[in-house]
Amino acid sequence: MADEPVSTPDQVRSAVAALIGTAPQDIPGDANLVFLGLGSLDVMRLSSRWRREGLPVEFEVLTADPTIDNWVRHLDSLRPHSD
């Protein structure tokens, strides 16, 4: 079964939790994901996944502020919005 496209904070949190081996609910939106154990290779995996889903994610943006809240803002800014 293919992964669903990431579109909500909960989906981003779940994707990160799977990589660092923790429960999604244990990751606050403003927590530094590197301090929680997310490595640069993990960020590359996530950014590659999101690119395959059609989102032109920028690795540098993800690593500049590695929090769920920032990543959700970044992903949301990349999606076409209907008026």
Side-chain angles (χ1 to χ4, degrees):
M1 181 162 110
D3 292 329
E4 289 184 30
V6 175
S7 61
T8 68
D10 288 339
Q11 289 170 318
V12 174
R13 187 173 279 109
S14 292
V16 170
L19 291 172
I20 64 174
T22 192
Q25 65 271 19
D26 292 339
I27 305 174
D30 62 350
N32 184 311
L33 300 173
V34 173
F35 294 158
L36 296 180
L38 193 72
S40 60
L41 290 177
D42 297 321
V43 178
M44 284 184 209
R45 285 183 188 103
L46 288 170
S47 61
S48 293
R49 172 185 165 186
W50 294 332
R51 283 188 194 110
R52 284 190 306 271
E53 293 174 3
L55 295 172
V57 176
E58 296 182 36
F59 178 80
E60 295 79 14
V61 173
L62 299 180
T63 57
D65 186 5
T67 66
I68 299 293
D69 292 344
N70 183 60
W71 289 8
V72 168
R73 278 190 300 276
H74 179 56
L75 292 170
D76 193 47
S77 74
L78 300 173
R79 290 186 211 318
H81 291 93
S82 58
D83 293 327

